[in-house]
PDB file of all heavy atoms in Angstrom:
ATOM      1  N   PHE A  17       1.041  -3.767  71.112  1.00  0.00           N
ATOM      2  CA  PHE A  17       0.086  -2.665  71.213  1.00  0.00           C
ATOM      3  C   PHE A  17       0.792  -1.559  71.992  1.00  0.00           C
ATOM      4  O   PHE A  17       1.020  -1.718  73.196  1.00  0.00           O
ATOM      5  CB  PHE A  17      -1.170  -3.116  71.974  1.00  0.00           C
ATOM      6  CG  PHE A  17      -1.926  -4.245  71.327  1.00  0.00           C
ATOM      7  CD1 PHE A  17      -2.095  -5.468  71.986  1.00  0.00           C
ATOM      8  CD2 PHE A  17      -2.493  -4.108  70.061  1.00  0.00           C
ATOM      9  CE1 PHE A  17      -2.804  -6.513  71.404  1.00  0.00           C
ATOM     10  CE2 PHE A  17      -3.202  -5.151  69.474  1.00  0.00           C
ATOM     11  CZ  PHE A  17      -3.359  -6.354  70.144  1.00  0.00           C
ATOM     12  N   PHE A  20       3.561  -2.806  74.107  1.00  0.00           N
ATOM     13  CA  PHE A  20       3.260  -3.975  74.945  1.00  0.00           C
ATOM     14  C   PHE A  20       3.039  -5.185  74.050  1.00  0.00           C
ATOM     15  O   PHE A  20       2.154  -5.181  73.185  1.00  0.00           O
ATOM     16  CB  PHE A  20       2.017  -3.696  75.802  1.00  0.00           C
ATOM     17  CG  PHE A  20       1.457  -4.926  76.459  1.00  0.00           C
ATOM     18  CD1 PHE A  20       2.120  -5.524  77.529  1.00  0.00           C
ATOM     19  CD2 PHE A  20       0.261  -5.498  76.006  1.00  0.00           C
ATOM     20  CE1 PHE A  20       1.604  -6.670  78.130  1.00  0.00           C
ATOM     21  CE2 PHE A  20      -0.258  -6.640  76.605  1.00  0.00           C
ATOM     22  CZ  PHE A  20       0.413  -7.221  77.661  1.00  0.00           C
ATOM     23  N   ALA A  22       1.494  -8.354  73.404  1.00  0.00           N
ATOM     24  CA  ALA A  22       0.425  -9.254  73.856  1.00  0.00           C
ATOM     25  C   ALA A  22       0.711 -10.678  73.402  1.00  0.00           C
ATOM     26  O   ALA A  22       0.338 -11.645  74.069  1.00  0.00           O
ATOM     27  CB  ALA A  22      -0.918  -8.774  73.322  1.00  0.00           C
ATOM     28  N   PRO A  41      -3.690 -17.983  82.014  1.00  0.00           N
ATOM     29  CA  PRO A  41      -4.375 -16.972  82.830  1.00  0.00           C
ATOM     30  C   PRO A  41      -4.987 -15.845  81.985  1.00  0.00           C
ATOM     31  O   PRO A  41      -4.622 -15.684  80.813  1.00  0.00           O
ATOM     32  CB  PRO A  41      -3.261 -16.424  83.732  1.00  0.00           C
ATOM     33  CG  PRO A  41      -1.970 -16.899  83.167  1.00  0.00           C
ATOM     34  CD  PRO A  41      -2.254 -18.082  82.321  1.00  0.00           C
ATOM     35  N   ASN A  42      -5.893 -15.099  82.570  1.00  0.00           N
ATOM     36  CA  ASN A  42      -6.468 -13.944  81.877  1.00  0.00           C
ATOM     37  C   ASN A  42      -5.360 -12.993  81.452  1.00  0.00           C
ATOM     38  O   ASN A  42      -4.420 -12.766  82.197  1.00  0.00           O
ATOM     39  CB  ASN A  42      -7.442 -13.196  82.798  1.00  0.00           C
ATOM     40  CG  ASN A  42      -8.768 -13.926  82.893  1.00  0.00           C
ATOM     41  OD1 ASN A  42      -9.175 -14.611  81.955  1.00  0.00           O
ATOM     42  ND2 ASN A  42      -9.420 -13.811  84.032  1.00  0.00           N
ATOM     43  N   GLY A  43      -5.494 -12.490  80.240  1.00  0.00           N
ATOM     44  CA  GLY A  43      -4.491 -11.555  79.735  1.00  0.00           C
ATOM     45  C   GLY A  43      -3.268 -12.226  79.135  1.00  0.00           C
ATOM     46  O   GLY A  43      -2.327 -11.556  78.707  1.00  0.00           O
ATOM     47  N   ALA A  44      -3.277 -13.559  79.053  1.00  0.00           N
ATOM     48  CA  ALA A  44      -2.112 -14.296  78.528  1.00  0.00           C
ATOM     49  C   ALA A  44      -1.893 -14.060  77.033  1.00  0.00           C
ATOM     50  O   ALA A  44      -0.798 -14.285  76.522  1.00  0.00           O
ATOM     51  CB  ALA A  44      -2.274 -15.789  78.798  1.00  0.00           C
ATOM     52  N   GLY A  45      -2.965 -13.637  76.338  1.00  0.00           N
ATOM     53  CA  GLY A  45      -2.848 -13.414  74.898  1.00  0.00           C
ATOM     54  C   GLY A  45      -3.612 -14.428  74.060  1.00  0.00           C
ATOM     55  O   GLY A  45      -3.489 -14.449  72.837  1.00  0.00           O
ATOM     56  N   LYS A  46      -4.443 -15.248  74.715  1.00  0.00           N
ATOM     57  CA  LYS A  46      -5.144 -16.335  74.012  1.00  0.00           C
ATOM     58  C   LYS A  46      -6.074 -15.791  72.923  1.00  0.00           C
ATOM     59  O   LYS A  46      -6.003 -16.214  71.768  1.00  0.00           O
ATOM     60  CB  LYS A  46      -5.950 -17.188  75.017  1.00  0.00           C
ATOM     61  CG  LYS A  46      -5.105 -17.757  76.151  1.00  0.00           C
ATOM     62  CD  LYS A  46      -5.930 -18.599  77.116  1.00  0.00           C
ATOM     63  CE  LYS A  46      -7.027 -17.841  77.849  1.00  0.00           C
ATOM     64  NZ  LYS A  46      -6.549 -16.778  78.762  1.00  0.00           N
ATOM     65  N   THR A  47      -6.961 -14.882  73.310  1.00  0.00           N
ATOM     66  CA  THR A  47      -7.902 -14.332  72.331  1.00  0.00           C
ATOM     67  C   THR A  47      -7.156 -13.580  71.227  1.00  0.00           C
ATOM     68  O   THR A  47      -7.524 -13.651  70.049  1.00  0.00           O
ATOM     69  CB  THR A  47      -8.919 -13.407  73.034  1.00  0.00           C
ATOM     70  OG1 THR A  47      -9.672 -14.199  73.974  1.00  0.00           O
ATOM     71  CG2 THR A  47      -9.888 -12.770  72.051  1.00  0.00           C
ATOM     72  N   THR A  48      -6.089 -12.902  71.595  1.00  0.00           N
ATOM     73  CA  THR A  48      -5.298 -12.167  70.591  1.00  0.00           C
ATOM     74  C   THR A  48      -4.724 -13.114  69.537  1.00  0.00           C
ATOM     75  O   THR A  48      -4.659 -12.769  68.355  1.00  0.00           O
ATOM     76  CB  THR A  48      -4.175 -11.359  71.282  1.00  0.00           C
ATOM     77  OG1 THR A  48      -4.764 -10.523  72.281  1.00  0.00           O
ATOM     78  CG2 THR A  48      -3.425 -10.491  70.294  1.00  0.00           C
TER      79      THR A  48
HETATM   80  P1  ADP B   1      -6.699 -13.626  77.103  1.00  0.00           P
HETATM   81  O1  ADP B   1      -7.670 -13.962  76.014  1.00  0.00           O
HETATM   82  O2  ADP B   1      -5.616 -14.647  77.262  1.00  0.00           O
HETATM   83  O3  ADP B   1      -7.378 -13.360  78.410  1.00  0.00           O
HETATM   84  P2  ADP B   1      -6.166 -11.285  75.489  1.00  0.00           P
HETATM   85  O4  ADP B   1      -5.588 -11.849  74.265  1.00  0.00           O
HETATM   86  O5  ADP B   1      -7.573 -10.843  75.433  1.00  0.00           O
HETATM   87  O6  ADP B   1      -5.941 -12.272  76.714  1.00  0.00           O
HETATM   88  O7  ADP B   1      -5.294 -10.028  75.943  1.00  0.00           O
HETATM   89  C1  ADP B   1      -3.901 -10.084  76.114  1.00  0.00           C
HETATM   90  C2  ADP B   1      -3.384  -8.712  76.474  1.00  0.00           C
HETATM   91  O8  ADP B   1      -3.409  -7.872  75.328  1.00  0.00           O
HETATM   92  C3  ADP B   1      -4.218  -8.009  77.541  1.00  0.00           C
HETATM   93  O9  ADP B   1      -3.330  -7.314  78.396  1.00  0.00           O
HETATM   94  C4  ADP B   1      -5.079  -7.059  76.734  1.00  0.00           C
HETATM   95  O10 ADP B   1      -5.426  -5.928  77.496  1.00  0.00           O
HETATM   96  C5  ADP B   1      -4.163  -6.700  75.573  1.00  0.00           C
HETATM   97  N1  ADP B   1      -4.899  -6.384  74.338  1.00  0.00           N
HETATM   98  C6  ADP B   1      -5.654  -7.240  73.630  1.00  0.00           C
HETATM   99  N2  ADP B   1      -6.142  -6.644  72.509  1.00  0.00           N
HETATM  100  C7  ADP B   1      -5.695  -5.365  72.552  1.00  0.00           C
HETATM  101  C8  ADP B   1      -5.857  -4.227  71.687  1.00  0.00           C
HETATM  102  N3  ADP B   1      -6.579  -4.310  70.548  1.00  0.00           N
HETATM  103  N4  ADP B   1      -5.234  -3.072  72.041  1.00  0.00           N
HETATM  104  C9  ADP B   1      -4.493  -2.996  73.152  1.00  0.00           C
HETATM  105  N5  ADP B   1      -4.295  -4.021  74.012  1.00  0.00           N
HETATM  106  C10 ADP B   1      -4.883  -5.194  73.719  1.00  0.00           C
END
Side-chain angles (χ1 to χ4, degrees):
F17 299 119
F20 167 73
N42 283 331
K46 304 180 297 296
T47 298
T48 305

